[in-house]
Amino acid sequence: MGKALWLLGMAVFVVSLDLRPPITSIGPLVLTIQRSLHMNAAEVSLLTSIPVFCMGAFAPLTGAVAARLGMNRAIFACVGLVGLATLVRFFAHASWLLLASAFAAGVGIAICGPLLSGFIKHHFGRRAPAVIGLYSVGIGLGALASAALSVPLAQALGSWQASLGMWTGLAVLGLVAWWPVLRAAPRGDEREASGLNAGGQLESASPSPWRTGRAWLLLAAFGLQSGIYYSTTTWLAPRAEEAGYSASGAGVVLTVFALIQMFASLLVPMAMSRTRNRAPWLVASASLTLMGLVVCALPLPAWSAWLADALLGVGLGGLFPILLILPLDETESGDDASRWTAMMQCGGYLISGVVPILAGAIKDATGNFLDSFWLLVALAAGLVVCSLFLHKRPSQKVA
């Protein structure tokens, strides 16, 4: 990879660091926020559910935003919007302002994600899997750092508002990293990446992904993966406590899962880039996820939590970047890749918002987490089936 492409890859990585802290920095401080702003449980839960819902609901706007601003300018604007949303949190002494910041951050993240996929497709070609891995690590690292440091920052700064607002620094870093990309890209190159002709109009595009069966299959797979991931991050630590761990020990279980997942999201795409056949990696990752959930669903000894960590960390860590790579495989241009990714994430994140709620409702009804994890086992089985149907791309059939 040449110096220019390396710099573009690093810009993608830096921007990706900012795509989860507005959501994940809330969790460790949720009880403090609830007491400070006198919010009930339903209201405070919106601080994390609103951005995830926005990530699904606003993803279809990606094409229109890219057509109006150009891909590179649109990414810059989205990072700026996320930064503005986190900056507002320094002054969030009313619940409505904090909720508004969650909405604004969600919109920026929703549009930025698919645009980055299109950018990677346009600039990196066959190197895209490795860059998707870097992008996935950036997302994981940003999420892990914000979750781990929110409470220490609040204690050091004497304010939970300051703790949440400090993550504006990542957005500023993202804007600084993206500015050279914005300045260096020729206007014609940006038009091409955004699917625009010389007159600034959208060129005739490929058929809409909403009319393509494989795109719907990707949507289903991404929704199942996301639903399982968010449920796992929500309920893995409580399940470990149920198995006999202390609260701090359960936190270590969740942290180890996050670390394994982050490294797998880098290593799996790098290994997969050596072959054009994604099927074995996809099926293996889905199967490891299924096995990890079975471990969680069975009344096994406490040590099994570490086995579940390994299986779920590698499985879910591999699934996320693979599912981001597949729309790139299916398309010929950066614009088409953005549209496929936007559709996949639109339905996928809407689905994923429901699954943790269902798992929690099952726990409330049964009094334990075993049946909740059996629900996730069933969803993982469906994910394995989806991965088997995604075994071959149309372009591979003509050979």
Side-chain angles (χ1 to χ4, degrees), residues 2 5 35 39 43 45 52 62 65 88-89 105 114 129 135-136 147 175 184 200 238 244 251-252 271 329 340 371 392:
L5 284 182
R35 288 191 296 266
M39 302 172 75
E43 289 172 336
S45 68
V52 174
T62 298
V65 173
V88 164
R89 293 179 172 181
Y135 167 55
S136 301
L175 293 173
V252 172
D329 286 346
W340 275 65
D371 290 329
K392 187 179 293 186

Side-chain angles (χ1 to χ4, degrees), residues 84-99:
L84 180 62
T86 48
L87 180 64
V88 164
R89 293 179 172 181
F90 276 109
F91 316 100
H93 298 285
S95 59
W96 69 266
L97 194 57
L98 197 55
L99 291 169

Side-chain angles (χ1 to χ4, degrees), residues 14-15 17-19 21 79 83 142 145-146 166-175:
V14 173
V15 167
L17 290 171
D18 194 43
L19 298 185
V79 177
S146 59
M166 285 296 291
W167 298 105
T168 306
L170 283 181
V172 172
L173 190 62
L175 293 173

